[in-house]
Amino acid sequence: MYARSLGDDGAELCPLEPWQADEFLAHMDRGREFIGARNGLPDVVTDLESSRAFLRTYAERTAADTGRIHGIRLDGTLVGAVILRTLDTANGTAEAGCWLEPAATGRGLVTRAARALVDWAIEVRGIHRVEWVVSSDNAPSIAVARRLGMTRDAVLRESHAHRGRRHDEEVWSVLAGEWRAARSAESAESAESPGTSG
């Protein structure tokens, strides 16, 4: 197993694979209502077989280089995930997403994990535009998009049906040049202010 540290609080970003279906289902059960308020995944992952099928789908996307899923762990426990729902290297586009258990909120975990994933998409896979599609009433996810330096491109009115209601969706994005400029500015700022951390 390999993992990438997300900071000094025991948080890590790790791949999720079909053999981890038990753990993934337990994670989904812990956060089912909270996650399901804005994300359809808890309605899809309901038992061990559907958990395995979901992770198998992302294993196939990883193998085809068309998507990715990585778990967010805190002190070894799976508490959330970030995904590339789409990854189109030919066109240079990707769509990122996330979710988190309620007990793990408020620690900046999604922002740190999404930053690592977006950086990988741009710097390793050559993606030019990374999108973040979010319900207009999902303030925490919109805050993540802002912290990632994304720009709101559009509001798609009543474009998403979820649990009997139609929701407006916002499309946020960051372009590779913007991402690199922001990262360079952060590096320069860190170099000028030794002893501080973000």
Side-chain angles (χ1 to χ4, degrees):
M1 186 61 154
Y2 57 94
R4 174 179 174 165
S5 173
L6 293 176
D8 58 7
D9 59 355
E12 295 179 319
L13 191 63
C14 310
L16 279 174
E17 299 176 358
W19 62 269
Q20 296 167 300
D22 281 330
E23 182 183 22
F24 188 69
L25 178 61
H27 152 64
M28 197 54 53
D29 285 341
R30 287 191 303 271
R32 189 166 299 282
E33 288 310 310
F34 181 80
I35 297 167
R38 296 185 177 99
N39 186 320
L41 184 58
D43 299 335
V44 173
V45 177
T46 58
D47 57 19
L48 186 57
E49 185 49 43
S50 57
S51 179
R52 189 174 291 113
F54 178 79
L55 294 177
R56 189 179 307 119
T57 295
Y58 271 91
E60 290 166 0
R61 288 182 187 180
T62 298
D65 200 26
T66 59
R68 294 274 166 156
I69 186 170
H70 290 275
I72 302 170
R73 294 183 183 278
L74 190 58
D75 297 322
T77 300
L78 181 65
V79 295
V82 288
I83 60 173
L84 289 175
R85 292 184 64 218
T86 62
L87 178 66
D88 184 342
T89 56
N91 288 312
T93 60
E95 181 190 336
C98 68
W99 62 85
L100 202 62
E101 288 180 24
T105 61
R107 302 168 186 242
L109 294 174
V110 165
T111 300
R112 288 182 271 161
R115 186 173 285 131
L117 191 65
V118 171
D119 199 63
W120 178 85
I122 290 172
E123 300 300 349
V124 177
R125 298 305 298 125
I127 296 300
H128 176 72
R129 173 187 167 90
V130 179
E131 292 187 349
W132 189 268
V133 181
V134 56
S135 176
S136 289
D137 67 358
N138 191 344
S141 189
I142 290 170
V144 171
R146 285 191 174 110
R147 285 192 292 271
L148 292 173
M150 293 186 166
T151 299
R152 186 173 72 173
D153 296 329
V155 177
L156 308 177
R157 296 180 304 148
E158 297 187 5
S159 60
H160 180 67
H162 179 60
R163 295 188 173 178
R165 284 187 52 223
R166 297 208 67 85
H167 299 262
D168 293 352
E169 287 187 305
E170 298 184 8
V171 179
W172 291 71
S173 70
V174 64
L175 305 180
E178 297 166 342
W179 182 261
R180 291 183 181 118
R183 300 294 276 170
S184 293
E186 288 171 12
S187 295
E189 191 175 294
S190 294
E192 291 173 8
S193 307
T196 62
S197 61

